[in-house]
Amino acid sequence: DSAPVVTIDGPSGTGKGTLANLLARELGWHYLDSGALYRAVGWAAIQAGIPLEAAHAEELGTLARNLEIRFQPEAEGPVRTFIGKQEVTQELRSGPVSEAASIVASMKPVRDGLLDLQRRFREPPGLVADGRDMGTVVFPEAPAKVFLTATPEERARRRYEQLRGQGCDVSLERITQELRQRDERDTHRNVAPLRPSEGAYVIDTTDISIEEVVAETLRRVRQSL
Ligand code: C5P
């Protein structure tokens, strides 16, 4: 498939999701939230009672390969996510599922199991793909690649505000600790570790507004198409 792809990678709390969504809307392109796929595998593993351990990696890989996930965009508010017939939009954002997602994401069979599914999102007129390895592994030939960073303190603060806004009762301390743990795991795993792809345009979003990030990225994307 030759539809163009823009990859947006980086750790959580850098504004990746917001940027990818706005960009997809602006360009009229499809949107892939790859993190939601890893979250879905984590959720399904918990439901099925499969231990999140290396000894069960193949079983978890099979779960990933057979994942029946569906995204349903709404006119207002966030995209709704279904696994089979069950709506899991809220549950996928919970602490335990975030943790499970980052554990299964370190397993090669799981990553391999999600590859085809991710690549099927690439359809005309184009795709904005959001994740950790969109530019390095899933769409290495993408014409435009962005990598977002921000200080850990700022990322934790954003995540905290976001969860608070959704009515979750969380502490900043706990969020900071969870974020640090996930960063550590995502950056140091053997398969598809989090890092900027060669040729990626790196933007530090700590002190700039999301509007500026969107404008700058759009300019880059239009140049590269
Ligand atoms: O982006 P989000 O926080 O929803 O991702 C959840 C987890 O899924 C991350 O902590 C990371 O471990 C994993 N992930 C990944 N590769 C991606 C997207 C997410 O390993 N492309």
Side-chain angles (χ1 to χ4, degrees), residues 81-116:
T81 309
F82 295 81
I83 299 178
K85 289 199 165 58
Q86 193 173 344
E87 173 157 20
V88 294
T89 314
Q90 294 286 337
E91 287 173 62
L92 289 197
R93 300 291 139 193
S94 73
V97 172
S98 304
E99 167 85 4
S102 114
I103 296 172
V104 297
S106 67
M107 301 174 178
K108 184 159 168 49
V110 171
R111 304 201 73 85
D112 289 347
L114 290 177
L115 263 184
D116 281 349

Side-chain angles (χ1 to χ4, degrees), residues 12 16 34-36 38-39 93 101-102 105 111 131-134 182 186 189:
S12 57
K16 246 181 335 140
S34 63
Y38 288 95
R39 289 172 182 274
R93 300 291 139 193
S102 114
R111 304 201 73 85
R132 304 288 189 292
D133 64 340
M134 298 296 99
R182 279 209 287 151
D186 292 350
R189 67 188 175 209

Side-chain angles (χ1 to χ4, degrees), residues 93 155-163 175 182:
R93 300 291 139 193
R155 295 194 288 114
R157 195 193 61 76
R158 288 177 188 170
R159 184 102 192 96
Y160 173 73
E161 299 287 333
Q162 187 183 26
L163 289 169
I175 296 284
R182 279 209 287 151

Side-chain angles (χ1 to χ4, degrees), residues 5-12 16-17 20-21 30-43 64 67 69 71 79 81 83 92-93 97-98 100-102 104-106 110-111 113-122 127-139 182 186 189 192 194:
V5 184
V6 179
T7 60
I8 314 280
D9 290 305
S12 57
K16 246 181 335 140
N21 265 298
H30 301 280
Y31 168 58
L32 166 62
D33 175 4
S34 63
L37 303 182
Y38 288 95
R39 289 172 182 274
V41 175
W43 178 89
L67 193 67
I69 188 166
F71 296 110
V79 174
T81 309
I83 299 178
L92 289 197
R93 300 291 139 193
V97 172
S98 304
S102 114
V104 297
S106 67
V110 171
R111 304 201 73 85
L114 290 177
L115 263 184
D116 281 349
L117 174 58
Q118 295 179 84
R119 290 183 176 146
R120 283 204 296 274
F121 279 81
R122 181 179 200 169
L127 174 68
V128 180
D130 158 357
R132 304 288 189 292
D133 64 340
M134 298 296 99
T136 51
V137 177
V138 183
F139 303 108
R182 279 209 287 151
D186 292 350
R189 67 188 175 209
L194 174 66

